[in-house]
Amino acid sequence: MVVFGAVLLVLCTWLLGRAILPSREVLPRDRWEEQCMAYLLGASALPLAAMALSWLGLSFAPWLAWTMMLLAGAVGLWRVLMDRSTPLAPSSLLAWQKAFFGFLGVGSVLVTLSLPLNEFDPIFHYAFKGKVLFYSGDVLDPAFTGMVGEDGQAAPYGRIMTHPNYPLGIPFLEAFAAHAGFAWSDRWVQFPLAFWALCLPGVIAFGLRPFGRRPALFGAMVAAATPMLYARNFLADGIQELGQAGLGGSVTLGGGGDLPLAVLFAGSLAMLIRALRAPCRRAAAGAGLCLAGALFMKNEGLAMAGCLVLALLIADPLAGRRAWLLRGIALLTFLVCATPWLIHRGKLPAIDENYGDRFRPSVIAEHWQAEEKVERSTRVRQGGSSDLAEAPPKRRDLALTYFWREFTDFRTWGLLWALFLFSLPWTATRFRLAEARWLSLLVLGGLVLYFLILLITPWFLVQLRGTGIPERLMLHLLGPAAMAIGLLWWEPRTASEKPAEESSLSDPAPA
Amino acid sequence: MTPATIHPRLRAGLTGFHLLGALFPVIFLPAAFLTALGGGFQPNREAYGDPPNFNAETAYVAIQNFWLSLNRDPRQQTVLVLGLAESPGGEILATSNGSVLAKELAGIGVRVRVHDPQGSEKARSFLGDQVSYAEDLWQGARGVDAILVANKEKAYREMDLGKLASYMKRKAVFDCAGALDGGAVAAAGLNYLQQAVPAWPAWLDPELDQFAEEMENKLAKLPPEEHPILLIPHLPMNSLAGRSRWFLQLNYRMFPRRFYLPDAILASGTLVEFADWVEHWRENGPARGPILGPKKLQEAINRTGATWTLHYSPSTDFRVKDWRLIPAPKPTQPANEQQED
């Protein structure tokens, strides 16, 4: 029953996304691209809608979860029936390419579901909140708020929860799955979370479709081939790790927040590109929805949204009125969808540092020169007096070293970052392509932002490194990096691509 | 090669190499699936590799990392390795964990002393002059930076920890065999560094399973909302390690059962905040026993409405004997509503 419920939820989520996705005539796509994009739109919309309704005072009770699911399914089904007569674009993938994407995508789903939740963050940061939503249905249950008193100060005797103000996107999806199956299952609540890695290449191909077959194909392949999409540092300790594959703390797949943020962010960019190219207001709204979905998965989604706005402002300020209108629609949709969560978040206790408050030039300047905060290290504290305390390394040097190690770590990233460097719009032709400019700037801005965050973090950086920082943050930029790399294969109309290979696509003129 | 041709070739070359990176997921995904299959699609504790107690390689890396994190040059460290046999009273072997560790540490320039109750004659044949030999435990302990306990020899389990602390220069005790009582080591003023922690994650601990089940059975007929549980840690808390936060595990497993903890916001925070929480109680609590005295306990009961108290001695290893669920004293006034509703 639990399995069937989870399958039904995934189906309804996908159908909801199908209902949101603009028509095939406006945004041509093949079946693969459509399935992937639709799932991401649905997976954004469903938990955001649940949050909005909870914010309005409704309890996330079984009847509400079921009503939402069935409504989503019904609307989607109606849309699927309406679209029957509109053909999809034919797939341009060769058999081996289908096998490549299929193996990695289906493999990632099977691996996610092959074990119950088995990592610290997925269990304690997310699934516990999902359990609270499932059992109590209240986004202000004392389980969330009971560690502080009415004055907002720490209660002397409080309830236990790690990061109570982490976003509720994953917990809501898990609670939906539990309601659909009438029971909480540590394995099957992951079902709606099993499709992120499968969807990423598809949405990148969808986003790059207007630029021709090859950019779409290579962008998708670059993303799918990046090891970090599945696990990091795999085989770092040698071949004996094979017997422990999937058991360690280095798996990206599963119930964590970084992968859904990365994939929904990529989905948002894909929709935005298509919205601007089509042009299509509904697609712009879809981009805003996906961006809000990304924010609802992990707090860094807000930072990514900020980077995107800045990248568009700086890299393409002279876009026409229509482009600005579409961007405005995307931003407005994002704000509307994210507002219930952002307001609600203010009511939750915060046990992590507020980076927004620390993100000031004076604090950054101070940390640029500062030494590592060794006194925050539990290891130093366990070891008593420390030589490290006498000669602590500079925080700046440590952060730079960690980023450099990631850029050159083939086991985790392949050659993604070298390719990205190569894909920067060095030539005049590529520089004229607006998407190449703003995608590149977005990735560069994101990297700079994450570097600054490491610079000002109040915690001991050496300890953070052990938890997968900064690679888990850099993962958020995989989508735009892969898209920018895919655009390496874009060539203006005069290129020698055969019309037969282009199927129904046409190369765009530089914006 | 003209500039016009460099670009496509470089592009193709870099992309080709990048796509080779797909070999990692191509290996990882089937390996992870087969690993799960091998465990019946449940995380199999045995698959985590290292034996639950002691692995020389793991300990070697952990010890090195410890020094590195403190910016200490291993060549400036003097270590006494206790126990060269695989098990108490067993044969002294070159392949025993103690011997392997002694040799490896000496190999990177650490000044190593070794001791075994059976004497050192046999060890000289394979350790040679890389290490020095202590015929007497206390002679060996004088002025060392660290002690490394490699087996559960009775002489080590029962050694006078206060005396040991007074003999050592620095106070690190690496317990690789799970031979010592961490609380007693910490109480003697030594830094207890548990290396015998099971390799599997905390939530797979078999004793945690057993204890959670026992609690569920005991409380089965009591509605969770009417029977909150107050967690009461006991001092000394011998570890700052996140693994000793067993309250997180019970809180997740047993939800909607309600657990309360003193200063929960700090205890549930990051590892650094948890360390702050431990140090707060080390400084402000009694030397031994429950962190809440009778008056504070009554206040906590009044505030939370707890009907049960769960007393425990924090440790990196979950041991059922460290935990005790007992009925809470009756409240002297109604539970503070702001806490719960």
Short mmCIF file of all heavy atoms in Angstrom, two decimals, chain A residues 106-154:
data_model
loop_
_atom_site.label_atom_id
_atom_site.label_comp_id
_atom_site.label_asym_id
_atom_site.label_seq_id
_atom_site.Cartn_x
_atom_site.Cartn_y
_atom_site.Cartn_z
N VAL A 106 17.86 5.86 -14.49
CA VAL A 106 17.13 4.78 -13.81
C VAL A 106 17.97 4.24 -12.66
O VAL A 106 17.47 3.93 -11.58
CB VAL A 106 16.76 3.67 -14.82
CG1 VAL A 106 16.12 2.48 -14.11
CG2 VAL A 106 15.80 4.22 -15.86
N GLY A 107 19.28 4.16 -12.90
CA GLY A 107 20.18 3.70 -11.83
C GLY A 107 20.08 4.60 -10.60
O GLY A 107 20.05 4.12 -9.47
N SER A 108 19.99 5.90 -10.83
CA SER A 108 19.92 6.81 -9.68
C SER A 108 18.61 6.62 -8.92
O SER A 108 18.59 6.71 -7.68
CB SER A 108 20.08 8.27 -10.14
OG SER A 108 18.95 8.68 -10.86
N VAL A 109 17.53 6.34 -9.63
CA VAL A 109 16.24 6.09 -8.95
C VAL A 109 16.33 4.81 -8.11
O VAL A 109 15.95 4.79 -6.94
CB VAL A 109 15.10 5.96 -9.99
CG1 VAL A 109 13.79 5.60 -9.30
CG2 VAL A 109 14.94 7.26 -10.77
N LEU A 110 16.87 3.76 -8.73
CA LEU A 110 16.94 2.47 -8.02
C LEU A 110 17.85 2.57 -6.79
O LEU A 110 17.53 2.03 -5.73
CB LEU A 110 17.47 1.38 -8.96
CG LEU A 110 16.52 0.99 -10.09
CD1 LEU A 110 17.16 -0.05 -11.00
CD2 LEU A 110 15.20 0.46 -9.54
N VAL A 111 18.96 3.27 -6.95
CA VAL A 111 19.88 3.38 -5.81
C VAL A 111 19.24 4.18 -4.69
O VAL A 111 19.35 3.83 -3.51
CB VAL A 111 21.22 4.01 -6.26
CG1 VAL A 111 22.06 4.43 -5.07
CG2 VAL A 111 22.01 3.02 -7.11
N THR A 112 18.52 5.24 -5.04
CA THR A 112 17.85 6.04 -3.99
C THR A 112 16.88 5.18 -3.19
O THR A 112 16.81 5.28 -1.96
CB THR A 112 17.07 7.21 -4.63
OG1 THR A 112 17.98 7.97 -5.42
CG2 THR A 112 16.45 8.10 -3.58
N LEU A 113 16.16 4.32 -3.89
CA LEU A 113 15.12 3.54 -3.21
C LEU A 113 15.64 2.23 -2.63
O LEU A 113 14.91 1.53 -1.92
CB LEU A 113 13.97 3.25 -4.19
CG LEU A 113 13.27 4.50 -4.72
CD1 LEU A 113 12.22 4.12 -5.75
CD2 LEU A 113 12.62 5.27 -3.58
N SER A 114 16.88 1.91 -2.94
CA SER A 114 17.39 0.60 -2.52
C SER A 114 17.64 0.53 -1.02
O SER A 114 17.74 -0.56 -0.46
CB SER A 114 18.66 0.24 -3.29
OG SER A 114 19.70 1.13 -2.93
N LEU A 115 17.77 1.67 -0.38
CA LEU A 115 17.94 1.67 1.08
C LEU A 115 16.98 2.67 1.70
O LEU A 115 16.64 3.67 1.08
CB LEU A 115 19.37 2.10 1.45
CG LEU A 115 20.52 1.14 1.15
CD1 LEU A 115 21.84 1.78 1.54
CD2 LEU A 115 20.35 -0.17 1.88
N PRO A 116 16.53 2.42 2.92
CA PRO A 116 15.77 3.46 3.62
C PRO A 116 16.69 4.65 3.90
O PRO A 116 17.91 4.54 3.70
CB PRO A 116 15.37 2.78 4.94
CG PRO A 116 15.79 1.37 4.84
CD PRO A 116 16.76 1.22 3.73
N LEU A 117 16.14 5.73 4.36
CA LEU A 117 16.95 6.90 4.70
C LEU A 117 18.12 6.46 5.56
O LEU A 117 17.94 5.78 6.57
CB LEU A 117 16.10 7.91 5.48
CG LEU A 117 14.99 8.59 4.71
CD1 LEU A 117 13.95 9.17 5.68
CD2 LEU A 117 15.54 9.67 3.81
N ASN A 118 19.33 6.86 5.16
CA ASN A 118 20.50 6.33 5.85
C ASN A 118 21.63 7.36 5.93
O ASN A 118 22.79 7.00 5.88
CB ASN A 118 20.97 5.05 5.13
CG ASN A 118 22.01 4.30 5.91
OD1 ASN A 118 21.91 4.18 7.13
ND2 ASN A 118 23.04 3.81 5.24
N GLU A 119 21.26 8.62 6.01
CA GLU A 119 22.28 9.68 6.14
C GLU A 119 21.79 10.65 7.21
O GLU A 119 20.58 10.80 7.42
CB GLU A 119 22.44 10.45 4.82
CG GLU A 119 22.90 9.62 3.65
CD GLU A 119 24.36 9.29 3.70
OE1 GLU A 119 25.09 9.98 4.44
OE2 GLU A 119 24.78 8.34 3.03
N PHE A 120 22.72 11.34 7.81
CA PHE A 120 22.36 12.23 8.91
C PHE A 120 21.42 13.35 8.47
O PHE A 120 20.32 13.51 9.02
CB PHE A 120 23.63 12.84 9.54
CG PHE A 120 23.35 13.64 10.77
CD1 PHE A 120 23.35 13.05 12.02
CD2 PHE A 120 23.04 14.99 10.69
CE1 PHE A 120 23.07 13.78 13.17
CE2 PHE A 120 22.75 15.74 11.83
CZ PHE A 120 22.77 15.12 13.07
N ASP A 121 21.85 14.14 7.48
CA ASP A 121 21.03 15.29 7.07
C ASP A 121 19.64 14.87 6.59
O ASP A 121 18.64 15.46 7.03
CB ASP A 121 21.74 16.10 5.97
CG ASP A 121 22.93 16.89 6.51
OD1 ASP A 121 23.32 16.63 7.67
OD2 ASP A 121 23.45 17.74 5.79
N PRO A 122 19.54 13.89 5.68
CA PRO A 122 18.20 13.49 5.24
C PRO A 122 17.31 13.03 6.39
O PRO A 122 16.12 13.33 6.39
CB PRO A 122 18.48 12.34 4.27
CG PRO A 122 19.83 12.63 3.73
CD PRO A 122 20.60 13.23 4.88
N ILE A 123 17.88 12.36 7.37
CA ILE A 123 17.04 11.87 8.47
C ILE A 123 16.65 13.02 9.40
O ILE A 123 15.47 13.25 9.66
CB ILE A 123 17.77 10.79 9.29
CG1 ILE A 123 18.01 9.53 8.43
CG2 ILE A 123 16.96 10.41 10.53
CD1 ILE A 123 18.86 8.47 9.10
N PHE A 124 17.66 13.74 9.88
CA PHE A 124 17.38 14.67 10.98
C PHE A 124 16.99 16.07 10.51
O PHE A 124 16.16 16.72 11.13
CB PHE A 124 18.58 14.73 11.93
CG PHE A 124 18.85 13.40 12.55
CD1 PHE A 124 19.92 12.62 12.16
CD2 PHE A 124 17.98 12.88 13.50
CE1 PHE A 124 20.14 11.37 12.71
CE2 PHE A 124 18.19 11.62 14.06
CZ PHE A 124 19.27 10.87 13.67
N HIS A 125 17.57 16.53 9.42
CA HIS A 125 17.22 17.88 8.95
C HIS A 125 15.90 17.89 8.18
O HIS A 125 15.23 18.91 8.13
CB HIS A 125 18.31 18.45 8.04
CG HIS A 125 19.63 18.66 8.72
ND1 HIS A 125 19.79 18.59 10.08
CD2 HIS A 125 20.87 18.93 8.21
CE1 HIS A 125 21.06 18.82 10.39
NE2 HIS A 125 21.73 19.02 9.28
N TYR A 126 15.57 16.77 7.53
CA TYR A 126 14.40 16.79 6.64
C TYR A 126 13.32 15.79 7.06
O TYR A 126 12.18 16.17 7.28
CB TYR A 126 14.83 16.54 5.19
CG TYR A 126 15.73 17.63 4.68
CD1 TYR A 126 17.10 17.42 4.54
CD2 TYR A 126 15.23 18.88 4.36
CE1 TYR A 126 17.94 18.43 4.10
CE2 TYR A 126 16.06 19.89 3.92
CZ TYR A 126 17.42 19.67 3.80
OH TYR A 126 18.23 20.67 3.37
N ALA A 127 13.68 14.49 7.12
CA ALA A 127 12.63 13.48 7.34
C ALA A 127 11.94 13.67 8.70
O ALA A 127 10.74 13.42 8.82
CB ALA A 127 13.23 12.08 7.24
N PHE A 128 12.68 14.14 9.69
CA PHE A 128 12.03 14.35 10.98
C PHE A 128 10.90 15.38 10.84
O PHE A 128 9.81 15.21 11.38
CB PHE A 128 13.04 14.78 12.05
CG PHE A 128 12.39 15.00 13.38
CD1 PHE A 128 11.79 13.96 14.06
CD2 PHE A 128 12.33 16.26 13.95
CE1 PHE A 128 11.16 14.15 15.29
CE2 PHE A 128 11.70 16.48 15.17
CZ PHE A 128 11.12 15.41 15.83
N LYS A 129 11.18 16.43 10.08
CA LYS A 129 10.14 17.44 9.86
C LYS A 129 8.98 16.85 9.05
O LYS A 129 7.81 17.18 9.28
CB LYS A 129 10.73 18.66 9.14
CG LYS A 129 11.79 19.37 9.96
CD LYS A 129 12.45 20.49 9.18
CE LYS A 129 13.50 21.19 10.01
NZ LYS A 129 14.69 20.39 10.31
N GLY A 130 9.32 15.97 8.11
CA GLY A 130 8.27 15.29 7.36
C GLY A 130 7.39 14.47 8.28
O GLY A 130 6.17 14.45 8.14
N LYS A 131 8.01 13.80 9.24
CA LYS A 131 7.24 13.01 10.21
C LYS A 131 6.32 13.90 11.02
O LYS A 131 5.17 13.56 11.28
CB LYS A 131 8.20 12.29 11.17
CG LYS A 131 8.44 10.85 10.84
CD LYS A 131 9.20 10.18 11.99
CE LYS A 131 9.24 8.68 11.75
NZ LYS A 131 9.97 7.98 12.81
N VAL A 132 6.84 15.05 11.42
CA VAL A 132 6.01 15.97 12.21
C VAL A 132 4.81 16.41 11.37
O VAL A 132 3.67 16.40 11.86
CB VAL A 132 6.84 17.20 12.65
CG1 VAL A 132 5.95 18.22 13.36
CG2 VAL A 132 7.99 16.79 13.56
N LEU A 133 5.05 16.76 10.11
CA LEU A 133 3.95 17.18 9.24
C LEU A 133 2.95 16.04 9.04
O LEU A 133 1.74 16.25 9.01
CB LEU A 133 4.48 17.67 7.90
CG LEU A 133 5.30 18.96 7.93
CD1 LEU A 133 5.89 19.25 6.56
CD2 LEU A 133 4.43 20.13 8.38
N PHE A 134 3.47 14.85 8.89
CA PHE A 134 2.60 13.69 8.65
C PHE A 134 1.73 13.41 9.87
O PHE A 134 0.52 13.21 9.76
CB PHE A 134 3.46 12.47 8.30
CG PHE A 134 2.68 11.19 8.22
CD1 PHE A 134 1.66 11.03 7.28
CD2 PHE A 134 2.96 10.13 9.08
CE1 PHE A 134 0.94 9.84 7.21
CE2 PHE A 134 2.24 8.95 9.03
CZ PHE A 134 1.23 8.80 8.09
N TYR A 135 2.34 13.41 11.04
CA TYR A 135 1.58 13.04 12.25
C TYR A 135 0.72 14.18 12.79
O TYR A 135 -0.37 13.95 13.28
CB TYR A 135 2.52 12.55 13.34
CG TYR A 135 3.03 11.15 13.11
CD1 TYR A 135 4.32 10.91 12.66
CD2 TYR A 135 2.20 10.05 13.31
CE1 TYR A 135 4.79 9.62 12.44
CE2 TYR A 135 2.65 8.76 13.08
CZ TYR A 135 3.95 8.56 12.66
OH TYR A 135 4.39 7.27 12.42
N SER A 136 1.24 15.41 12.72
CA SER A 136 0.48 16.51 13.34
C SER A 136 -0.19 17.42 12.31
O SER A 136 -1.20 18.03 12.61
CB SER A 136 1.39 17.35 14.24
OG SER A 136 2.06 18.33 13.47
N GLY A 137 0.37 17.52 11.13
CA GLY A 137 -0.20 18.37 10.08
C GLY A 137 -0.06 19.85 10.35
O GLY A 137 -0.61 20.68 9.64
N ASP A 138 0.71 20.21 11.37
CA ASP A 138 0.77 21.60 11.78
C ASP A 138 2.18 22.14 11.55
O ASP A 138 3.15 21.62 12.12
CB ASP A 138 0.40 21.70 13.28
CG ASP A 138 0.35 23.12 13.78
OD1 ASP A 138 0.61 24.04 12.98
OD2 ASP A 138 0.06 23.31 14.98
N VAL A 139 2.28 23.19 10.73
CA VAL A 139 3.60 23.75 10.45
C VAL A 139 4.13 24.55 11.65
O VAL A 139 5.28 24.99 11.63
CB VAL A 139 3.60 24.63 9.18
CG1 VAL A 139 3.49 23.80 7.94
CG2 VAL A 139 2.52 25.69 9.26
N LEU A 140 3.28 24.74 12.64
CA LEU A 140 3.75 25.39 13.87
C LEU A 140 3.62 24.44 15.07
O LEU A 140 3.44 24.87 16.21
CB LEU A 140 2.97 26.68 14.13
CG LEU A 140 3.42 27.88 13.30
CD1 LEU A 140 2.47 29.06 13.51
CD2 LEU A 140 4.85 28.30 13.64
N ASP A 141 3.71 23.16 14.80
CA ASP A 141 3.67 22.17 15.88
C ASP A 141 4.79 22.48 16.88
O ASP A 141 5.87 22.94 16.49
CB ASP A 141 3.89 20.78 15.26
CG ASP A 141 3.72 19.67 16.29
OD1 ASP A 141 4.71 19.34 16.98
OD2 ASP A 141 2.60 19.16 16.41
N PRO A 142 4.54 22.22 18.16
CA PRO A 142 5.60 22.46 19.17
C PRO A 142 6.91 21.73 18.84
O PRO A 142 7.97 22.12 19.32
CB PRO A 142 4.99 21.95 20.46
CG PRO A 142 3.53 22.03 20.26
CD PRO A 142 3.29 21.79 18.81
N ALA A 143 6.82 20.66 18.04
CA ALA A 143 8.07 19.99 17.64
C ALA A 143 8.98 20.97 16.89
O ALA A 143 10.20 20.86 16.95
CB ALA A 143 7.77 18.78 16.77
N PHE A 144 8.36 21.93 16.16
CA PHE A 144 9.15 22.94 15.44
C PHE A 144 9.57 24.10 16.36
O PHE A 144 10.65 24.64 16.23
CB PHE A 144 8.33 23.56 14.29
CG PHE A 144 8.14 22.66 13.11
CD1 PHE A 144 6.91 22.10 12.84
CD2 PHE A 144 9.18 22.39 12.25
CE1 PHE A 144 6.71 21.27 11.75
CE2 PHE A 144 9.01 21.56 11.15
CZ PHE A 144 7.77 21.01 10.90
N THR A 145 8.65 24.46 17.23
CA THR A 145 8.85 25.72 17.96
C THR A 145 9.21 25.53 19.43
O THR A 145 9.56 26.50 20.11
CB THR A 145 7.55 26.56 17.91
OG1 THR A 145 6.50 25.76 18.49
CG2 THR A 145 7.15 26.90 16.49
N GLY A 146 9.11 24.28 19.91
CA GLY A 146 9.19 24.05 21.35
C GLY A 146 10.57 24.11 21.95
O GLY A 146 10.75 23.67 23.08
N MET A 147 11.54 24.59 21.22
CA MET A 147 12.87 24.74 21.84
C MET A 147 13.11 26.17 22.29
O MET A 147 14.14 26.47 22.90
CB MET A 147 13.98 24.26 20.90
CG MET A 147 14.00 24.92 19.56
SD MET A 147 15.44 24.38 18.60
CE MET A 147 15.24 22.63 18.57
N VAL A 148 12.15 27.06 21.97
CA VAL A 148 12.26 28.43 22.47
C VAL A 148 10.98 28.80 23.20
O VAL A 148 9.92 28.23 22.95
CB VAL A 148 12.50 29.46 21.33
CG1 VAL A 148 13.84 29.26 20.69
CG2 VAL A 148 11.40 29.40 20.30
N GLY A 149 11.08 29.76 24.08
CA GLY A 149 9.92 30.25 24.79
C GLY A 149 9.21 31.32 23.97
O GLY A 149 9.62 31.62 22.83
N GLU A 150 8.17 31.91 24.54
CA GLU A 150 7.40 32.93 23.82
C GLU A 150 8.24 34.16 23.52
O GLU A 150 7.98 34.89 22.56
CB GLU A 150 6.17 33.32 24.63
CG GLU A 150 5.00 32.39 24.37
CD GLU A 150 3.77 32.78 25.15
OE1 GLU A 150 3.88 33.66 26.03
OE2 GLU A 150 2.71 32.21 24.88
N ASP A 151 9.25 34.39 24.35
CA ASP A 151 10.11 35.55 24.15
C ASP A 151 11.18 35.30 23.07
O ASP A 151 12.00 36.16 22.79
CB ASP A 151 10.80 35.93 25.46
CG ASP A 151 11.58 34.76 26.06
OD1 ASP A 151 11.53 33.65 25.46
OD2 ASP A 151 12.21 34.94 27.11
N GLY A 152 11.15 34.11 22.48
CA GLY A 152 12.12 33.79 21.43
C GLY A 152 13.46 33.34 21.97
O GLY A 152 14.35 32.97 21.21
N GLN A 153 13.60 33.37 23.28
CA GLN A 153 14.86 32.91 23.88
C GLN A 153 14.81 31.38 24.08
O GLN A 153 13.73 30.80 24.14
CB GLN A 153 15.08 33.59 25.24
CG GLN A 153 15.18 35.09 25.16
CD GLN A 153 16.31 35.55 24.26
OE1 GLN A 153 17.44 35.13 24.41
NE2 GLN A 153 16.00 36.40 23.28
N ALA A 154 15.99 30.80 24.18
CA ALA A 154 16.06 29.35 24.35
C ALA A 154 15.28 28.93 25.59
O ALA A 154 15.44 29.50 26.66
CB ALA A 154 17.52 28.92 24.48
#
